[in-house]
Amino acid sequence: MATLLIFLPLILLISLPVSISQTSSNNAGDCNGIFITYVYTSGFPIPPNVSTSNSNNQAYNFRSNLTILNNSPDELKSWRVFVGFQHRELLVSASHAVLADGTTLPGDVGNGTVFAGFPTTDLKSAIQTAGDVNQMQARIELVGTQYGVASPAVPLPSSISLANDGFLCSPSTSQGDRTQVCCLKDSNAKSNITIHEEIQPRQEGDLTIMFDVTSSSESNYWAQVTISNNDNTSRLDNWKLSWEWMRDEFIYSMRGAYPTVVDTGDCIFGKQGGYYKGMDFSKAFNCEKRPTIIDLPLEKTNDTALGMVPFCCRNGTILPPFMDASKSKSAFVMQVYKMSPDLNISAIHPPQNWKINGTYSPGYVCGPPVRVSSSLFPNPAGLSSDTAAVASWQVICNISSSTLKKPKCCVSFSAFFNDSVVPCNTCACGCSNANPSNVCSASEPALLLPPEALLVPFDNRTEMAKDFNKRRDLPNPLPCGDNCGVSINWHLLSDFRGGWTARITLFNWGDTNIVDWFAAVQLDKAIQGFEKGYSFNGTIMPDTNNTIFMQGFSGLNYLLAERRGDNPRKDPPVPGTQQSVISFTKKTTPGIDVGAGDGFPSKVYFNGEECSLPVILPSGSDRRVPLASSAFSLLLTMLVLMVLQLSLWLEI
């Protein structure tokens, strides 16, 4: 009996449940928030082998574990974790997570990346689960390639942190083979949890994509995908939308849009064909793991087989809401078939890794789909009630701030007090070495031009430029062209005591008409004096205090393509043009110095693309003149009017 009493405490200790602090080492028990660890487990050099002198470029396999443990009293919704990779890492696989920016693996993460949970997006608390670590914790196994860090050194990230709103993280610490951090709830932050535990609040972004499940059965469901442009200075043309199915789903039918490739081979020869043996896969639309979807042409709007979806069938054009709210959305519906183990009515998993782009649109970075409150749709029977979606997810896409992207448009400056034009910058929209016989300098600044040169393609301006600059030493070789499909001339037309005027001219050097064009001009000091545009519809944008939004009037909202000259053997091609005078008053902008720079834009956008601006302004000794303009202004205006009249005559 005495022996039993001696060993009783030990027996009781062994029989006790394992505590939270025991399941996660290195101070996890001291963190009453979100405890994150990154542990390097193994690695080895991989081919090609490089010399010792070039060891920084030796590639190594690495394997690591990223663990997120919820020690807070509340459930962590839609967890997101930043890992500051710093060794040119290429991530090959990540279990139980996806990259939040939509990048498909393998992907470059050398500048750091954000992980989002999938398929489990939420981590419950110890209170909710009686300390069940399996529900409190996410463990992601990472496999990839890194450069330059050989054993015994360890390729740890520079930092790790929780990327969810409403949390503050202490600086991460590294020791040995691990990096760890504790993130606590910010007491000053508003809760991002709505009344319904499974639902997140809707967020704002430059572009949003809604994935609304409108009906569901055990084997399939119907979903409506709606793309909404929320940015007043951007648009999409010929949009292409893609995503990644994570659970062997496939698209059986679709209306309002179409896949770029109708391919059912992956189903016929895959597990889908083995399960749906009686299905006619010749009628299916797409079985790719990552399908790419495009819009339908306008004539399919009322097609009973492919159209009949509100906001569909617009040739892939999505306009800014400020320009036309009814054309700022695009939508389509599709029937999605599921596979085991999701063959029940409530098992619905939205696709991941969303991406969207267009031929004339900014670059977007999209986050993961987040469950939100069910969208409401008008009652199909026309009753005064709404029909709620079965479930809704929201994808937020924001315009990428990458500086590596080349502009697609450029601006030239001119003024009544100077007879020369400050042209678009050299290689403003990039330079190509495709034609080595056309030798030019990509670094020399562009030569000043006479006004008539603006109506001539760059390849036909050489003699004009040489003659106009004959009094100066010309570089050899001469500067390259701007290579832009659209150029814009901003001309300071007049400057007088009570106000001033400017003229904006658009040139289309491309081979296609630009329909529903728009431009936005940012004037930092002059905007309050804006009065009106005469040939364009000009409006100050309500959400800014420095930008004029311009578009063509009804029936004049297209910019014609470049056309051949009257005599192609000797006449150069002629660009499509649009032009308008804009007037300003000085009553509301006292002290403005129009000619010194206040009358020139600091930014110009065309169809959502920021244009390249000249690095210098026109110079002149006497910038103020009466309501008459110089011969320069008259000449360019007459030339443009002649081109416009000729274009209209050709259209007739």
Side-chain angles (χ1 to χ4, degrees):
M1 186 67 178
T3 303
L4 180 60
L5 291 174
I6 293 174
F7 287 98
L8 183 59
L10 180 60
I11 295 172
L12 291 174
L13 180 62
I14 294 174
S15 63
L16 286 174
V18 179
S19 68
I20 302 300
S21 59
Q22 288 173 313
T23 61
S24 297
S25 60
N26 283 34
N27 303 321
D30 296 334
C31 177
N32 289 325
I34 310 302
F35 187 70
I36 307 170
T37 58
Y38 179 98
V39 179
Y40 172 79
T41 58
S42 66
F44 52 87
I46 57 177
N49 298 316
V50 301
S51 62
T52 305
S53 61
N54 194 28
S55 59
N56 287 338
N57 290 320
Q58 177 62 56
Y60 296 86
N61 164 281
F62 77 87
R63 294 176 181 269
S64 301
N65 292 327
L66 177 66
T67 305
I68 304 96
L69 176 65
N70 182 12
N71 278 347
S72 74
D74 303 311
E75 184 175 6
L76 176 62
K77 292 285 191 177
S78 300
W79 69 260
R80 305 176 85 185
V81 169
F82 171 78
V83 177
F85 291 111
Q86 57 179 336
H87 304 292
R88 292 182 286 164
E89 285 88 347
L90 180 76
L91 191 62
V92 175
S93 65
S95 65
H96 310 299
V98 294
L99 300 189
D101 64 0
T103 299
T104 303
L105 299 182
D108 182 4
V109 296
N111 292 322
T113 192
V114 175
F115 291 94
F118 182 83
T120 302
T121 60
D122 307 332
L123 299 179
K124 295 189 178 298
S125 68
I127 296 173
Q128 294 173 304
T129 63
D132 184 355
V133 177
N134 292 326
Q135 299 184 61
M136 299 163 52
Q137 177 178 277
R139 181 183 175 89
I140 297 91
E141 297 178 356
L142 305 176
V143 179
T145 301
Q146 55 91 4
Y147 287 88
V149 183
S151 179
V154 178
L156 292 177
S158 60
S159 64
I160 57 176
S161 63
L162 189 68
N164 294 62
D165 293 334
F167 287 86
L168 291 178
C169 298
S170 60
S172 56
T173 59
S174 298
Q175 185 176 4
D177 60 357
R178 73 171 52 222
T179 299
Q180 63 187 38
V181 69
C182 179
C183 302
L184 300 176
K185 189 96 172 187
D186 182 5
S187 59
N188 296 320
K190 295 181 179 179
S191 173
N192 63 351
I193 305 301
T194 57
I195 296 175
H196 195 296
E197 289 186 349
E198 300 298 325
I199 305 301
Q200 297 294 303
R202 297 193 178 210
Q203 304 293 323
E204 296 180 355
D206 296 326
L207 182 141
T208 57
I209 303 172
M210 290 301 304
F211 187 84
D212 295 304
V213 176
T214 55
S215 65
S216 178
S217 66
E218 290 186 352
S219 63
N220 67 89
Y221 62 86
W222 279 89
Q224 174 168 311
V225 179
T226 306
I227 308 166
S228 300
N229 182 16
N230 305 314
D231 185 79
N232 282 326
T233 59
S234 66
R235 64 184 281 165
L236 285 93
D237 288 287
N238 301 310
W239 59 257
K240 290 185 177 181
L241 178 67
S242 64
W243 60 74
E244 189 172 354
W245 296 116
M246 308 301 288
R247 305 176 74 86
D248 300 316
E249 300 96 332
F250 62 95
I251 303 172
Y252 188 78
S253 62
M254 179 177 284
R255 290 188 293 111
Y258 214 75
T260 56
V261 177
V262 178
D263 183 5
T264 59
D266 290 345
C267 285
I268 294 174
F269 299 105
K271 61 178 69 175
Q272 297 90 341
Y275 181 80
Y276 293 103
K277 294 181 179 180
M279 179 177 289
D280 183 1
F281 281 99
S282 66
K283 297 180 179 179
F285 272 51
N286 189 277
C287 292
E288 294 177 303
K289 181 178 178 64
R290 187 172 190 88
T292 299
I293 309 301
I294 57 175
D295 198 11
L296 291 174
L298 187 63
E299 55 267 25
K300 295 295 182 181
T301 302
N302 296 318
D303 189 303
T304 55
L306 295 175
M308 303 298 290
V309 177
F311 307 113
C312 87
C313 314
R314 292 171 175 169
N315 288 312
T317 297
I318 303 178
L319 299 178
F322 184 70
M323 183 176 182
D324 190 338
S326 67
K327 296 182 180 179
S328 66
K329 295 181 179 181
S330 192
F332 61 90
V333 298
M334 60 181 176
Q335 185 182 23
V336 179
Y337 270 81
K338 304 180 291 183
M339 288 292 294
S340 177
D342 299 327
L343 298 174
N344 64 74
I345 194 170
S346 62
I348 302 171
H349 300 279
Q352 302 289 318
N353 300 330
W354 293 72
K355 288 185 178 181
I356 188 168
N357 55 46
T359 56
Y360 212 109
S361 61
Y364 291 94
V365 175
C366 300
V370 175
R371 180 77 181 272
V372 295
S373 57
S374 295
S375 299
L376 299 178
F377 297 94
N379 191 291
L383 302 176
S384 58
S385 63
D386 294 324
T387 301
V390 175
S392 297
W393 285 265
Q394 183 188 47
V395 177
I396 299 295
C397 302
N398 288 311
I399 296 173
S400 171
S401 58
S402 173
T403 58
L404 300 177
K405 186 179 180 181
K406 287 290 185 181
K408 296 180 181 177
C409 53
C410 65
V411 178
S412 61
F413 286 156
S414 54
F416 62 83
F417 50 75
N418 195 310
D419 289 336
S420 61
V421 176
V422 180
C424 292
N425 295 326
T426 302
C427 300
C429 298
C431 276
S432 173
N433 296 323
N435 186 5
S437 63
N438 185 16
V439 179
C440 62
S441 173
S443 58
E444 284 288 339
L447 299 177
L448 298 178
L449 297 173
E452 61 270 20
L454 292 179
L455 283 167
V456 179
F458 180 83
D459 292 341
N460 301 93
R461 294 179 186 174
T462 303
E463 294 305 319
M464 290 184 182
K466 286 181 177 180
D467 185 63
F468 193 74
N469 293 274
K470 61 186 177 182
R471 295 184 179 180
R472 57 164 289 191
D473 293 332
L474 297 179
N476 186 17
L478 293 174
C480 296
D482 55 69
N483 297 312
C484 294
V486 172
S487 61
I488 300 173
N489 174 250
W490 180 269
H491 178 71
L492 194 58
L493 192 61
S494 67
D495 183 14
F496 51 96
R497 180 175 299 176
W500 59 284
T501 60
R503 184 190 59 234
I504 183 171
T505 308
L506 312 177
F507 301 91
N508 180 12
W509 304 99
D511 55 5
T512 57
N513 299 336
I514 301 176
V515 183
D516 291 326
W517 64 265
F518 71 90
V521 177
Q522 182 174 311
L523 295 162
D524 295 327
K525 296 184 179 180
I527 197 70
Q528 298 304 322
F530 171 71
E531 289 183 323
K532 66 177 297 186
Y534 290 87
S535 300
F536 296 163
N537 184 3
T539 310
I540 297 178
M541 295 182 63
D543 53 348
T544 69
N545 58 1
N546 61 1
T547 303
I548 302 173
F549 187 94
M550 289 176 282
Q551 58 180 314
F553 288 118
S554 178
L556 298 173
N557 59 343
Y558 55 91
L559 186 58
L560 293 178
E562 181 186 76
R563 62 171 182 80
R564 294 191 304 171
D566 295 335
N567 187 345
R569 292 187 177 182
K570 65 176 183 178
D571 294 337
V574 179
T577 58
Q578 287 267 21
Q579 185 182 87
S580 179
V581 173
I582 308 169
S583 63
F584 298 81
T585 180
K586 291 184 178 179
K587 293 180 181 179
T588 54
T589 55
I592 188 174
D593 194 339
V594 176
D598 294 345
F600 291 93
S602 57
K603 287 185 179 182
V604 175
Y605 297 86
F606 182 79
N607 277 0
E609 293 277 353
E610 184 173 352
C611 303
S612 169
L613 295 183
V615 295
I616 61 173
L617 298 175
S619 60
S621 57
D622 184 9
R623 299 191 179 97
R624 180 172 294 180
V625 297
L627 276 170
S629 61
S630 66
F632 170 94
S633 171
L634 181 61
L635 176 61
L636 185 58
T637 302
M638 292 177 63
L639 289 170
V640 171
L641 288 174
M642 291 172 61
V643 172
L644 285 171
Q645 290 177 350
L646 184 58
S647 299
L648 291 174
W649 181 80
L650 290 173
E651 287 291 308
I652 294 174

